Amino acid sequence: RVGLSWQEVAMPAMEIDLSFSSLPRYALFSVSRAFIAIFLSLIFSIIYGTWAASSIKAEKWLIPVLDILQSIPVLGFLPGLAIAMIALFPNSRFGLEIVSIVMIFTSQVWNMTFSIYYSIKQAPPMLKEVTQVCRLGKLRTFLLGELPFGMIPLVWNTMMSMAGGWFFLMICESFVLKGKDFRLPGIGSYMSVAISQGNIPAIVGGTLIMLVIILLLEVFVWRPLLSWASRFKWEEFTGKTMPEVFVSPKMEAANLL
């Protein structure tokens, strides 16, 4: 359903339905954009952060470039990027969808990349010695040693980055420039139209669906991920149990095992 919506013809003025029945569909569109952006951010962070931490020569210019990129205002290049993507994809919403995902990506990827970089740089010497004694290659050293060591900060930074990405997602979905409509169907455009029309029931409905999305992500995504990542703590086992997860007893027992 999401993929088909990207192929729809771009309308001069996007019509936003303020009925409550349209909220689940708009929520699906917004959440899909957020997850595509966070998935791309994870891939970029792992590749870029590992490269910067593993190569002294590359580190000298990769980290300054990262500092420069994160200092650029995200909204500064939104109009130019939107116009360019519309020119490339004039007959569909594909270009605007790319703009939305790129904006979310650039708002959260730098924090995650630095997390990977510093985790690998601060890995204990004992961990590196173990990988050398076991004669692990670079890939297995990363997968079995460096990545697990940095898993907890990566999960926390991913969660915080996605929280910040919601702000830019809302802006991208409701973007209008000099009378030109660049809006996308989603919670952001829904709330923008509801506020401009003073539709109180629609504003309350949009707020409630956002709260539901946040709670569902907390219960079914972030808490299980944090529980899973806690097994990678670099310390002696103290007998403490993992954080509680709101899942079935069978799944909880599997996590503890």
Side-chain angles (χ1 to χ4, degrees):
R1 182 69 185 89
V2 171
L4 289 175
S5 70
W6 288 26
Q7 302 174 14
E8 294 178 0
V9 178
M11 304 297 292
M14 173 63 65
E15 295 184 2
I16 303 299
D17 184 7
L18 294 184
S19 63
F20 291 151
S21 60
S22 65
L23 278 173
R25 180 166 57 94
Y26 289 156
L28 174 64
F29 292 153
S30 296
V31 172
S32 64
R33 295 179 189 117
F35 271 97
I36 291 172
I38 205 71
F39 178 73
L40 295 176
S41 299
L42 279 171
I43 295 176
F44 178 90
S45 300
I46 291 174
I47 295 175
Y48 196 102
T50 305
W51 185 15
S54 304
S55 174
I56 297 178
K57 292 182 179 179
E59 181 183 16
K60 293 181 179 179
W61 61 273
L62 286 177
I63 297 304
V65 167
L66 200 64
D67 280 327
I68 294 173
L69 290 175
Q70 74 167 351
S71 65
I72 298 176
V74 177
L75 299 179
F77 55 88
L78 174 58
L81 183 61
I83 294 172
M85 288 295 102
I86 290 174
L88 288 175
F89 304 96
N91 299 321
S92 68
R93 291 211 315 263
F94 193 81
L96 287 176
E97 295 286 354
I98 293 178
V99 172
S100 176
I101 292 172
V102 168
M103 295 299 295
I104 307 169
F105 171 86
T106 53
S107 70
Q108 60 193 11
V109 69
W110 320 125
N111 185 36
M112 297 164 60
T113 304
F114 275 116
S115 172
I116 288 287
Y117 167 74
Y118 284 116
S119 295
I120 296 177
K121 293 292 288 185
Q122 296 173 2
M126 184 185 301
L127 181 62
K128 298 180 180 179
E129 291 173 2
V130 169
T131 58
Q132 291 174 357
V133 171
C134 295
R135 298 182 180 180
L136 301 180
K138 291 184 178 180
L139 179 59
R140 297 187 67 190
T141 297
F142 172 73
L143 294 177
L144 300 178
E146 295 170 341
L147 184 59
F149 176 76
M151 188 59 65
I152 295 177
L154 177 61
V155 172
W156 276 107
N157 279 279
T158 301
M159 181 171 59
M160 298 301 296
S161 296
M162 191 172 186
W166 283 111
F167 170 76
F168 295 97
L169 174 62
M170 299 296 105
I171 292 178
C172 293
E173 290 180 345
S174 57
F175 180 54
V176 178
L177 178 65
K178 292 184 178 180
K180 292 185 178 181
D181 194 341
F182 298 108
R183 292 180 300 176
L184 290 168
I187 300 299
S189 55
Y190 181 94
M191 291 294 291
S192 175
V193 174
I195 293 172
S196 64
Q197 295 182 3
N199 191 326
I200 302 300
I203 294 174
V204 174
T207 304
L208 290 177
I209 199 69
M210 280 298 300
L211 290 175
V212 170
I213 291 173
I214 293 171
L215 288 175
L216 289 177
L217 290 177
E218 169 69 16
V219 172
F220 294 105
V221 178
W222 299 123
R223 287 186 66 89
L225 274 177
L226 289 171
S227 177
W228 171 77
S230 65
R231 69 186 61 195
F232 298 113
K233 287 183 179 179
W234 185 259
E235 59 187 17
E236 293 183 1
F237 181 72
T238 59
K240 296 181 180 179
T241 58
M242 297 180 184
E244 294 182 0
V245 185
F246 298 118
V247 292
S248 65
K250 291 183 178 180
M251 292 182 63
E252 181 66 18
N255 283 337
L256 292 175
L257 289 176

